Amino acid sequence: MPEMTLIEAIRQAQDEELARDPNVFITGEDVGVRGGVFRATMGLYDKYGPNRLIDSPLAEDSIVGVGIGAALYGMRPILEIQFADFIHPALNQIISEAAKMCYRSNGEWTVPLVIRAPYGGGIGGGLYHSQSVEALFAHVPGLKVVIPSTPYDAKGLLKAAVRDPNPIIFLEPKKGYRLIKGEVPEGEYVVPIGPARISRPGRDLSLFAYGMMHHYALQAAQKLESEGIDVEVVDLRTLYPVDKETILNSVRKTSRALIVHEDNLTGGYGAEIAAIIADEAFTDLDAPVRRLAGPDVPAVPFSHPMQDWFMVNPEKIAAAARKLAQW
Amino acid sequence: MPEMTLIEAIRQAQDEELARDPNVFITGEDVGVRGGVFRATMGLYDKYGPNRLIDSPLAEDSIVGVGIGAALYGMRPILEIQFADFIHPALNQIISEAAKMCYRSNGEWTVPLVIRAPYGGGIGGGLYHSQSVEALFAHVPGLKVVIPSTPYDAKGLLKAAVRDPNPIIFLEPKKGYRLIKGEVPEGEYVVPIGPARISRPGRDLSLFAYGMMHHYALQAAQKLESEGIDVEVVDLRTLYPVDKETILNSVRKTSRALIVHEDNLTGGYGAEIAAIIADEAFTDLDAPVRRLAGPDVPAVPFSHPMQDWFMVNPEKIAAAARKLAQW
Amino acid sequence: MDPSPDQKLDMYRLMLLARRLDERAWVLHRQGKIAFHISGIGHEAAQVGAAFAIRRGSDWVTPYYRDLALMLALGMTPAEFLMGLMGKRDEPNSGGRQMPSHWSLRRANAVSHSAPVATQSVHAAGIGLAIKLRGDDKVVLTTIGEGSTSQGEWYEAVNWAAVHRLPVIFIVQNNQYAISVRAEKQMAVQSAADKACGLGLPGIMVDGTDVFAVHRAVKDAVDNARAGNGATVIETRMYRITPHSSDDDDRTYRSREEVEENKRRDPLLLARARLQEEGLLSESQYDEMDTQIKASIEEAVKQAEAAPYPAGEEALHPVYAEEVRHA
Amino acid sequence: MDPSPDQKLDMYRLMLLARRLDERAWVLHRQGKIAFHISGIGHEAAQVGAAFAIRRGSDWVTPYYRDLALMLALGMTPAEFLMGLMGKRDEPNSGGRQMPSHWSLRRANAVSHSAPVATQSVHAAGIGLAIKLRGDDKVVLTTIGEGSTSQGEWYEAVNWAAVHRLPVIFIVQNNQYAISVRAEKQMAVQSAADKACGLGLPGIMVDGTDVFAVHRAVKDAVDNARAGNGATVIETRMYRITPHSSDDDDRTYRSREEVEENKRRDPLLLARARLQEEGLLSESQYDEMDTQIKASIEEAVKQAEAAPYPAGEEALHPVYAEEVRHA
Ligand SMILES: Cc1ncc(C[n+]2csc(CCOP(=O)(O)OP(=O)(O)O)c2C)c(N)n1
Ligand SMILES: Cc1ncc(C[n+]2csc(CCOP(=O)(O)OP(=O)(O)O)c2C)c(N)n1
Ligand SMILES: [Mg+2]
Ligand SMILES: [Mg+2]
C-alpha cells in the first residue's frame, strides 16, 4: 500500500469522488487553478475543468448557501472553507439552513454536501489561522461532524461524507497535512461515519482525542507505557453524532477517562464526553473525569512562546494522564 | 416596591441607562417608533429621539458590527436582535470581532456593548422563533453570557451589562416576558455579572437552571418538597464565565446534581456544568450527574403536540429530580 | 407573448382565491382557531404575475412567507394552506414543524424556506448554478421583501448570479415596510431594482399592483435567463395593506389615512377593472366566481379542521436523511 | 488644495520607506528570520495618497493587512513594524498575538483588525455613526481589497453609511487578484466603484499608482464627508506585484510576463518622475534619501532583533477589559 500524507489522501478522495459521480463538484476560494492554498485540489482543475472546480467569490456564507441550493437540485457539492477561522460568516447558512432543511421539510428536501475546513494551531497562524471550531457544530442536530486523524481515515471518511445524504462538517487538522503520513489503499473504500476507533487498547485509563491531538495522545501513551501505565487511546473521528457505546465501553474497562482537545476548555467538545461519562458510566469510575484542553483565551497567539504556552502537546498529555492514573 | 413584568424591567433598565449616560444608544430592527416587537423599547423613542433609538437596516451582522465600531469610538451601544434565532448572521462579528478585540489588541481596544435577544420556546414560534442559543456563546472567551430569570435580576443585570467594559450577550426568556412578575426597586441598583444565585436552599439534590427553566425548577422543587425531597435550586444567571464556586459548593452539600435547560442536550450548556462537577466534585457525588434538556432535534416544532413533546416542563423536571434523588 | 383570455381569467381567479383565503385566515385568527397569520393581501398581482411567467412545476422557486398567491399558483391547495395554519400533520410544507406560511411544495419544485430572511436568495443562486452545470432548460425564481435586501446574503446571492450569469429571477416585493421600518431606512436608492447596477445585471422596476405588467416584466427576464443571458432583479412595488402579521399592531407606526389611501391601488380592483374592460369578466361572472371560491374555501376549512394533528413523538424525526429522495 | 512641495516630498519619502521596509521583510523571510510576510509593494501610492487626505491622528482609520505604507504614514515606526514581523512583546499592534501586518495603532486612531476580511468595513460604519451622533469634526477612512468586497459585510457596511449619510471613506485597493482569483470572478462590474451606484452614494475610480491623483480624489471625498454629505466609495486600481504572501506561489496561476509587464507601472517610478519633473527631487537628492532610509531601516532591524519576546504566560491576558481605556 502506498504511503501518503494527510493532504494527499484528501486530494485523492476528492479526485476519486469527482471521477465517480458527475454530480460532485467543488467550490471555494482558490480551489481552481491554484489548487487550494493547502493544495487539497491540486491538479483537479486541469483534470476536471472549470465546471467541476469553481473559484467562488470571496464570501463564505454564499459558498455554503450556493452549495445548499445546488444540493437541493441534486448535486453533491464539496465546499472548501479556506481556514476554519473563516467559517463564521457562513454559520447562518450552516446552522439555520443546512442543518434544518431535512427536518423542517419533514424529509421532503435534503442537502447532501460536505464542508471541508482546515483547523487547529501550532503552525504560527496566530489568532485567525489556528482556530478549532468543532464545538460550534457538535451541538447542531442535522449536521454530522467528522475529524480524521490518519490518511487512511481521511480518504475513507471523506468519500463516505460525499456520499452521505446529510450535510457534513469535515474538519482537517492542518498541522498534520504534511506531517502525518500513513498507508492508504489505492481506489475504492469508505470508512463509515459514526464509529470511533480504539487506536491503542489499554487497561488503566481511557484517553479520548481527535485530529492532531490523537497523534499526541498516542505519543503520550507510548511514553507512559515505559512507566508501566497502560493507556487506551480512542480516536473519536466522528464527533457528532457521538459514538457513546465505544466511549462508555472503554471507560467501563479502564475506569478512568481523560479527554483531550486543543480548543478552549470551557464549553468545548470535551464537556459533552465528560458529561456522558459522568452520567452513564458513573458507577464504573475510579477517578474524576478529566479534560486537558486549550486555555480559555480567544485563540492561539502568534508569537512562539505564547503559541507554545497555548498548545496541548504530548508532554502535557502524558502529565495529565499520569496524574489521573495515579489518582 | 412596585411589581412588574420581566419585559417592563428590561424597558426600565434601558430607560434609566439612556438617561444616565449620553453615550448609550440603542439600535436594532423596529426599536424606534415601533418600540420593539416585544415592546422592550416602548416609549423610549418619544423620550430620547431618533439619535438614541435607531431603526437599523434589516441586517444583523451590521447591527453588531456597527455597534462594535461605535463602541470603539467610545459609545455604549445596546443592540437588539429581534429573536435569538436571527443572531446567526451576526456570529462573525460577535465571535471573530467583539469577543477578540480586547485580546488581539493587547487591551488597547475594547468594545463595551450589550446584545439583547429574546430566546426560548413554548410560545408557538416554531423552529425559528423558539431557539436557545446560549451554547454558541458560552464557549467564547471574551464574551460574557447573561440570562436573567426574574424582573429584579433583569433590571440589575442589564444595567450592569451596559456599564461593563466587555461585550455581553444578554438573553431574555421571552416566554416569561409577561408571565414572570416580581418586585423591582425604583431607580438605581445593579446586580453584578458573575455570581449565580441560590434561589432555594435544599439538602438532597442540586438543581441548576436559568431563564424560564429556573421557574419551572422552582415549581418542581416545591412539588418535591411535599414528597419529602429537599431540592436546592440554583439560578445560574451568568452562564459565562462560569461561577464554579457556587456550583461546586452546592454539589458538595447535596451530593447530587441535575442540570436543566431547554436547548438540545448534546453539546448544550449543561455539558460544561456536568463536566466541571464530574471533575472537581467527583468525591462528593453520590449519584450520576444528570442533565434534563431539549431533545436532539433541530428546534422546537410549531404544532402544539410536538411543541409540548419538545419542551422541558415542571413535571419532567420533577420526574428527573425524583429519580435522581432516589438513585 | 401576452396571456390568452383564459389565462387572464385564471390569473384573476387565483388572485381572488388568494385574497379570500387570506381574509378567511384573518377570520380564523379572530375566532381564536389559529394562533398566527402573515398576510399576502396587496401582493397578489406581483405573485400571480410572476408565477405565470415561469413553467410552473418545471422551473424552480424559492419563495418567502408572503407568497400565498404564488404558492396557490404553483398548485398548493387551500386545504393544504389551511392545514399549515393549524399545524396539522399532513400539511405539505413541514408536517406541522414550521410556522404557517413557511412554504415548501416538493411536487412543484418550491423549496422549503426558513424564517431568517434572505437565506432563500442564496439557495436560488445555487439552484441556478446547478441548472447551468447540468445544462437544463430551467430557471429559478426567488422572492423577498425589500427590507430583507439589506442582508449581505442577498447581495452575495445576486453577485454569484451576476458573475456566473445564472438563470435566476430575483423578485423584490417592495411593500414599503419591513414591519415598522420604511424603505428609506433600508436603502439610499429609490428602488431595490437600482441595486442591480452595482452588481452588473439588469434591474427592472414594475408596478406590483398590475398583474399583467408584472407578468410581462418577469416573462422577459425569464426568457433572457433561459436563453443563457443570466439573472435579473425585478422590483414589484405595492403597499402592505395589513399589519406585518397577526402579532403586529401597525397603528403604532403609521396612520389609518395612509393605509386607506393605499387601499385604492388594490391589485384586485385593478385587475377586475381590466378584465371587465376587455369584456372577459362581467359583474355576474365575477359574482359566480367569488361564490364558487368562497364555497370551496369553506369546504377546505372543514377538511383542514377535521385533519389530524401530529403525535408529539413525530417531532423526533427526520433529523437526518436516510437517503436523498431526488436525483 | 494640492499638496505643497514639502508635502509632496514627504509623501514620496513615505512611499520609499514603505518599499524599502517591505523589501527588507522579504529578505528577512528568505533568511529564515521571520516566518511570514504579506507585502504592500505596488500599493504605496494608494495608501500614502489616502493618508495625506485625512487629518492623521485625529481622523479614524480601519485598515487592512496590505497597509504598511498607510500605517507608516500614520506614524508607525519601522522598528514597530519589524517587531510585529518577529512577534516581539512590545510591538504595538497586538503584543505579539496577531500575525504580522494585522494592524492596530491606538495613538493614531487606527483600529485593530482581524484576518476575516471585510469585518473592518462594518466597524468603520459604526465609527462613522458615532462621529455623527457626537457631532464631531472627524471622518473615518477604511481600506479593503477588491476581492473582499464580495463579502455581504462590505455591502451592509456601505449601506449603513449611505442610508445614514455617515462620514466614511471606503477605499477599495483593487490589485486585480484575491490570492489567485481574478477580479472578474468576484464581480460582474468593471470596478468596485461601480458598486456604489447600487447603494446610493458616489463611487469614484482613480489610478492607484498615481499618488497625487489618489490624494485629490480622497481629499474631495473627505471634504464631502466632513461637510455632512456622507460617504464615498473609491477604487484605487493597481497591480499586486508580489505573490499574495510569503506562503503563496503565484507561478501556479499567472505568468511571469504578466507580472513583469505590470511592474512598469510601479507607483514609485511614477512619483519619482513627477517630482523630478517638478524639480523637487534630483538624482542626488533621491540617492541621499534612499541611503538615509536604508540606514534607518538597518538600525530598526537591529532594534527589533534585540527586543524581547513575550513570555508564554502573557498569553493568558487580556481576555476581558477591566475598564474602557478611552472616553
Ligand atoms: C434574519 C432575520 N432577521 C429578522 C427577522 C424578523 N423579521 C421578520 S419579517 C421582517 C421584516 C421583513 O420586511 P421585508 O423584507 O420588507 O418583507 P415584508 O414583510 O415587508 O414582505 C423582520 C425584521 C427575520 N425573519 N429574519
Ligand atoms: C473571511 C475570509 N475568508 C478568507 C480569507 C483568506 N484570504 C486572505 S486574503 C484573501 C484574498 C483577499 O483578496 P483581496 O480582497 O482582493 O485583497 P488583496 O489581498 O488582493 O489585497 C483571502 C481569500 C480571509 N482572510 N477572510
Ligand atoms: Mg417590505
Ligand atoms: Mg486584491
Side-chain angles (χ1 to χ4, degrees):
Chain A
M1 264 195 297
E3 175 150 298
M4 61 176 70
T5 62
L6 191 66
I7 190 77
E8 281 163 353
I10 287 162
R11 179 168 53 230
Q12 191 172 90
Q14 296 188 92
D15 188 353
E16 291 180 14
E17 291 304 294
L18 283 164
R20 184 186 59 80
D21 182 352
N23 290 313
V24 174
F25 74 97
I26 299 177
T27 189
E29 294 149 13
D30 304 287
V31 299
V33 203
R34 180 71 179 79
V37 299
F38 288 104
R39 309 253 196 283
T41 55
M42 203 68 182
L44 302 181
Y45 182 86
D46 287 343
K47 195 162 168 186
Y48 298 99
N51 278 346
R52 309 292 298 284
L53 284 114
I54 302 172
D55 277 327
S56 73
L58 209 180
E60 285 77 8
D61 188 70
S62 68
I63 293 172
V64 176
V66 162
I68 291 171
L72 289 167
Y73 196 79
M75 306 295 286
R76 293 287 191 145
I78 302 175
L79 310 166
E80 179 175 304
I81 300 295
Q82 204 160 76
F83 284 82
D85 313 63
F86 307 139
I87 208 164
H88 299 94
L91 290 179
N92 193 37
Q93 284 289 344
I94 297 173
I95 297 177
S96 302
E97 299 300 314
K100 297 181 175 58
M101 183 64 78
C102 175
Y103 187 74
R104 81 182 187 214
S105 67
N106 199 12
E108 289 284 325
W109 295 102
T110 54
V111 280
L113 55 83
V114 182
I115 300 175
R116 292 184 41 248
Y119 86 99
I123 43 81
L127 293 182
Y128 294 98
H129 295 79
S130 307
Q131 290 172 36
S132 296
V133 297
E134 64 275 16
L136 280 172
F137 303 110
H139 173 55
V140 181
L143 299 179
K144 298 183 182 179
V145 182
V146 176
I147 300 188
S149 86
T150 66
Y152 179 90
D153 276 357
K155 178 173 169 183
L157 284 167
L158 184 48
K159 286 165 71 82
V162 172
R163 300 170 195 196
D164 197 285
N166 298 287
I168 315 281
I169 309 292
F170 196 87
L171 300 173
E172 303 164 1
K174 62 170 152 338
K175 189 182 170 70
Y177 268 161
R178 285 171 183 78
L179 222 54
I180 304 176
K181 297 196 179 81
E183 296 197 333
V184 175
E186 306 255 15
E188 186 60 16
Y189 71 95
V190 297
V191 173
I193 292 174
R197 181 175 66 98
I198 297 173
S199 56
R200 186 189 196 285
R203 332 189 108 261
D204 296 336
L205 180 148
S206 299
L207 189 43
F208 301 100
Y210 47 92
M212 199 64 206
M213 293 307 117
H214 170 247
H215 289 272
Y216 292 169
L218 285 174
Q219 289 171 32
Q222 200 160 356
K223 193 178 158 56
L224 292 173
E225 189 178 352
S226 63
E227 304 174 18
I229 302 171
D230 186 17
V231 175
E232 172 147 312
V233 180
V234 181
D235 182 358
L236 294 172
R237 295 198 298 192
T238 294
L239 275 63
Y240 194 86
V242 185
D243 179 3
K244 280 168 60 164
E245 272 326 288
T246 303
I247 293 166
L248 291 171
N249 284 338
S250 177
V251 177
R252 286 186 187 123
K253 187 173 65 171
T254 64
S255 304
R256 281 176 166 77
L258 172 63
I259 307 130
V260 178
H261 54 66
E262 52 174 301
D263 191 15
N264 314 118
L265 177 75
T266 302
Y269 182 69
E272 179 61 33
I273 305 304
I276 289 172
I277 294 168
D279 182 354
E280 302 187 38
F282 178 72
T283 51
D284 302 294
L285 285 172
D286 287 343
V289 183
R290 284 274 148 82
R291 294 175 289 165
L292 175 66
D296 284 336
V297 305
V300 190
F302 170 71
S303 191
H304 277 282
M306 295 198 286
Q307 173 173 298
D308 293 345
W309 172 86
F310 184 103
M311 294 300 295
V312 172
N313 58 32
E315 292 69 42
K316 293 183 188 173
I317 299 175
R322 188 182 298 119
K323 207 170 147 199
L324 184 57
Q326 290 158 356
W327 194 89
Chain B
M1 268 196 294
E3 174 150 300
M4 60 176 71
T5 62
L6 191 65
I7 190 77
E8 280 163 354
I10 288 162
R11 180 169 51 229
Q12 191 171 91
Q14 296 188 91
D15 189 353
E16 291 180 13
E17 291 304 294
L18 282 163
R20 182 187 59 81
D21 182 350
N23 291 312
V24 174
F25 73 97
I26 299 178
T27 188
E29 295 149 13
D30 305 288
V31 299
V33 203
R34 179 72 178 79
V37 299
F38 288 104
R39 309 255 197 280
T41 54
M42 204 69 183
L44 302 181
Y45 182 86
D46 287 342
K47 195 162 168 188
Y48 298 100
N51 277 346
R52 309 292 299 284
L53 284 115
I54 302 172
D55 277 327
S56 74
L58 209 181
E60 285 76 8
D61 189 70
S62 68
I63 293 172
V64 175
V66 162
I68 291 171
L72 289 166
Y73 196 79
M75 306 295 287
R76 294 287 190 144
I78 302 175
L79 310 166
E80 179 175 304
I81 300 294
Q82 203 160 75
F83 284 81
D85 314 63
F86 306 139
I87 208 165
H88 298 94
L91 289 180
N92 193 37
Q93 284 290 344
I94 298 173
I95 298 176
S96 302
E97 300 300 314
K100 297 182 175 59
M101 183 65 77
C102 176
Y103 187 74
R104 81 180 186 216
S105 68
N106 200 12
E108 289 284 324
W109 295 101
T110 53
V111 280
L113 55 83
V114 183
I115 300 175
R116 292 183 42 246
Y119 86 98
I123 43 80
L127 293 183
Y128 294 97
H129 295 79
S130 306
Q131 290 172 35
S132 297
V133 297
E134 63 275 17
L136 280 172
F137 303 111
H139 173 56
V140 181
L143 300 178
K144 298 183 182 179
V145 181
V146 176
I147 300 187
S149 86
T150 66
Y152 179 90
D153 277 356
K155 178 174 170 185
L157 285 166
L158 184 48
K159 285 165 71 83
V162 171
R163 300 169 194 197
D164 196 285
N166 297 287
I168 315 282
I169 308 292
F170 196 88
L171 299 173
E172 303 164 2
K174 63 172 152 333
K175 189 183 170 72
Y177 269 160
R178 285 172 182 78
L179 222 53
I180 304 176
K181 296 195 180 82
E183 296 196 334
V184 175
E186 306 255 14
E188 187 59 17
Y189 71 97
V190 296
V191 173
I193 292 173
R197 181 175 65 98
I198 296 173
S199 56
R200 185 189 196 287
R203 332 190 108 261
D204 296 337
L205 180 148
S206 298
L207 190 43
F208 300 100
Y210 48 92
M212 199 63 207
M213 294 305 117
H214 170 247
H215 288 272
Y216 292 170
L218 285 174
Q219 290 172 31
Q222 197 159 357
K223 194 178 157 55
L224 292 174
E225 189 177 354
S226 64
E227 304 175 18
I229 302 171
D230 185 16
V231 175
E232 172 147 312
V233 179
V234 181
D235 182 357
L236 294 173
R237 296 197 299 190
T238 294
L239 275 63
Y240 193 85
V242 185
D243 179 2
K244 280 167 60 163
E245 273 325 290
T246 305
I247 294 166
L248 291 171
N249 285 337
S250 176
V251 176
R252 286 186 185 124
K253 185 173 68 173
T254 65
S255 304
R256 284 178 164 76
L258 172 64
I259 307 130
V260 178
H261 54 67
E262 52 173 302
D263 191 14
N264 314 118
L265 177 75
T266 302
Y269 182 69
E272 179 61 34
I273 305 306
I276 289 172
I277 295 168
D279 182 353
E280 301 186 40
F282 178 72
T283 52
D284 301 294
L285 284 172
D286 287 343
V289 184
R290 285 273 148 82
R291 294 175 289 165
L292 176 67
D296 284 337
V297 305
V300 190
F302 170 73
S303 190
H304 277 281
M306 296 198 286
Q307 172 173 299
D308 292 345
W309 172 86
F310 184 103
M311 294 301 295
V312 172
N313 58 32
E315 292 70 41
K316 292 182 189 174
I317 299 175
R322 188 182 297 117
K323 206 169 147 200
L324 183 59
Q326 290 159 357
W327 194 88
Chain C
M1 219 179 54
D2 264 6
S4 68
D6 273 3
Q7 282 176 320
K8 287 183 178 174
L9 274 173
D10 245 25
M11 290 165 90
Y12 182 71
R13 185 178 295 112
L14 275 161
M15 290 170 66
L16 190 60
L17 173 62
R19 175 65 57 91
R20 294 291 178 244
L21 199 49
D22 204 314
E23 290 167 345
R24 191 67 177 85
W26 285 105
V27 172
L28 287 167
H29 185 260
R30 276 195 297 275
Q31 295 172 329
K33 290 191 172 172
I34 60 170
F36 180 81
H37 175 51
I38 189 155
S39 181
I41 290 180
H43 287 245
E44 297 91 344
Q47 294 171 19
V48 171
F52 274 68
I54 62 169
R55 296 182 190 151
R56 285 175 285 159
S58 164
D59 288 333
W60 284 56
V61 180
T62 76
Y64 91 119
Y65 49 80
R66 283 209 199 281
D67 283 337
L68 173 56
L70 174 59
M71 293 307 296
L72 293 171
L74 290 174
M76 184 170 282
T77 69
E80 288 177 327
F81 165 68
L82 289 159
M83 288 196 298
L85 279 180
M86 299 168 187
K88 294 302 178 81
R89 188 188 67 199
D90 298 326
E91 66 89 12
N93 303 289
S94 70
R97 282 164 185 74
Q98 290 226 69
M99 288 181 76
S101 301
H102 285 57
W103 315 108
S104 167
L105 197 61
R106 177 81 223 190
R107 64 177 191 262
N109 291 340
V111 172
S112 165
H113 70 91
S114 61
V117 298
T119 50
Q120 78 278 14
S121 311
V122 201
H123 304 166
I127 293 165
L129 180 67
I131 292 172
K132 191 180 167 188
L133 292 178
R134 289 246 184 106
D136 288 348
D137 183 31
K138 291 177 194 272
V139 304
V140 51
L141 183 141
T142 184
T143 58
I144 194 169
E146 88 292 344
S148 304
T149 68
S150 295
Q151 293 282 359
E153 294 200 282
W154 187 79
Y155 167 82
E156 293 187 12
V158 180
N159 192 45
W160 263 86
V163 169
H164 288 277
R165 297 179 79 79
L166 304 178
V168 189
I169 323 297
F170 294 96
I171 295 196
V172 181
Q173 299 184 27
N174 184 346
N175 61 10
Q176 306 178 42
Y177 282 91
I179 308 186
S180 72
V181 181
R182 293 185 57 90
E184 55 270 30
K185 289 194 174 174
Q186 298 286 350
M187 57 184 95
V189 286
Q190 290 305 310
S191 149
D194 294 342
K195 297 191 175 198
C197 76
L199 285 150
L201 77 174
I204 308 287
M205 201 184 133
V206 58
D207 180 353
T209 66
D210 180 344
V211 63
F212 302 119
V214 171
H215 178 261
R216 221 172 301 123
V218 179
K219 189 79 177 52
D220 286 349
V222 167
D223 290 347
N224 248 317
R226 227 185 281 283
N229 298 324
T232 304
V233 175
I234 301 177
E235 180 189 277
T236 57
R237 178 86 58 116
M238 71 284 284
Y239 186 86
R240 199 194 74 211
I241 292 168
T242 65
H244 173 72
S245 76
S246 58
D247 286 344
D248 184 31
D249 177 3
D250 64 338
R251 285 164 308 181
T252 55
Y253 54 83
R254 61 182 185 180
S255 72
R256 292 310 85 191
E257 293 70 44
E258 180 190 309
V259 178
E260 286 311 312
E261 169 79 26
N262 275 285
K263 277 191 184 164
R264 291 207 222 132
R265 282 203 60 81
D266 184 327
L268 272 97
L269 296 180
L270 294 184
R272 187 177 160 196
R274 190 81 61 84
L275 293 186
Q276 211 157 15
E277 245 171 59
E278 296 184 14
L280 295 174
L281 188 70
S282 69
E283 195 90 4
S284 67
Q285 283 167 319
Y286 167 80
D287 287 342
E288 195 185 325
M289 186 189 281
D290 198 25
T291 310
Q292 245 178 28
I293 282 173
K294 283 176 172 160
S296 75
I297 289 174
E298 289 319 307
E299 191 49 47
V301 169
K302 275 195 209 119
Q303 220 182 305
E305 286 185 326
Y309 286 100
E313 316 79 63
E314 287 183 41
L316 194 53
H317 297 289
V319 180
Y320 294 97
E322 297 303 315
E323 53 175 85
V324 181
R325 296 199 179 189
H326 46 96
Chain D
M1 219 181 53
D2 264 5
S4 69
D6 272 3
Q7 281 176 319
K8 285 183 180 175
L9 274 173
D10 244 26
M11 290 165 90
Y12 182 70
R13 186 179 295 113
L14 274 162
M15 289 170 67
L16 190 60
L17 173 62
R19 174 65 57 90
R20 293 291 178 244
L21 199 49
D22 204 314
E23 290 167 344
R24 192 66 177 87
W26 284 106
V27 172
L28 288 167
H29 185 259
R30 275 195 298 275
Q31 296 172 327
K33 290 190 175 174
I34 60 169
F36 179 81
H37 176 52
I38 189 156
S39 181
I41 290 181
H43 288 245
E44 297 91 346
Q47 294 169 19
V48 171
F52 274 69
I54 62 169
R55 296 182 189 152
R56 284 175 285 159
S58 164
D59 288 334
W60 284 55
V61 180
T62 76
Y64 91 120
Y65 49 81
R66 283 207 199 282
D67 283 337
L68 173 57
L70 174 59
M71 294 306 297
L72 293 171
L74 290 174
M76 183 170 283
T77 69
E80 289 177 326
F81 166 67
L82 289 159
M83 288 197 297
L85 279 180
M86 299 169 187
K88 293 302 177 80
R89 189 189 65 198
D90 298 326
E91 65 89 13
N93 303 289
S94 69
R97 283 162 185 76
Q98 290 226 68
M99 287 180 76
S101 301
H102 286 56
W103 315 109
S104 167
L105 197 61
R106 177 81 224 191
R107 64 177 191 262
N109 291 342
V111 172
S112 166
H113 69 91
S114 62
V117 298
T119 48
Q120 78 279 13
S121 312
V122 201
H123 304 166
I127 293 166
L129 180 68
I131 292 172
K132 191 179 168 187
L133 292 178
R134 288 246 185 105
D136 287 348
D137 184 31
K138 290 175 194 272
V139 304
V140 52
L141 183 141
T142 183
T143 59
I144 194 169
E146 88 293 344
S148 304
T149 68
S150 295
Q151 293 283 1
E153 294 198 283
W154 186 80
Y155 167 81
E156 293 186 11
V158 180
N159 191 46
W160 263 87
V163 169
H164 289 277
R165 296 179 80 80
L166 304 178
V168 189
I169 323 296
F170 294 96
I171 295 197
V172 182
Q173 299 183 26
N174 183 347
N175 61 11
Q176 307 177 42
Y177 282 91
I179 307 186
S180 72
V181 181
R182 294 184 56 90
E184 55 268 32
K185 289 193 173 173
Q186 298 286 351
M187 58 184 93
V189 286
Q190 291 304 309
S191 151
D194 294 342
K195 297 191 175 195
C197 75
L199 286 150
L201 77 174
I204 308 287
M205 201 184 134
V206 60
D207 181 352
T209 66
D210 179 344
V211 64
F212 303 117
V214 171
H215 178 260
R216 220 172 302 124
V218 179
K219 189 79 178 51
D220 286 348
V222 167
D223 290 347
N224 247 318
R226 227 185 281 282
N229 298 324
T232 305
V233 175
I234 301 178
E235 181 188 277
T236 57
R237 177 87 57 117
M238 72 284 284
Y239 186 85
R240 198 195 74 213
I241 291 168
T242 66
H244 173 71
S245 76
S246 57
D247 286 344
D248 185 30
D249 177 3
D250 64 338
R251 286 165 307 182
T252 56
Y253 55 82
R254 62 182 184 181
S255 72
R256 291 311 85 190
E257 294 70 45
E258 181 190 308
V259 177
E260 286 311 312
E261 170 79 24
N262 276 284
K263 277 189 185 166
R264 291 206 223 134
R265 283 202 60 81
D266 184 328
L268 273 97
L269 296 179
L270 294 183
R272 189 177 158 196
R274 190 80 61 84
L275 293 187
Q276 212 158 13
E277 245 171 57
E278 297 185 12
L280 295 174
L281 188 70
S282 69
E283 195 90 6
S284 67
Q285 284 169 317
Y286 166 80
D287 286 342
E288 196 186 324
M289 186 189 280
D290 197 25
T291 310
Q292 246 178 26
I293 282 174
K294 282 175 173 161
S296 74
I297 290 174
E298 289 320 306
E299 193 49 49
V301 169
K302 276 195 211 118
Q303 220 182 303
E305 285 184 328
Y309 287 100
E313 316 79 63
E314 288 183 39
L316 194 52
H317 298 288
V319 180
Y320 294 96
E322 297 305 315
E323 53 175 85
V324 181
R325 296 199 180 189
H326 44 96

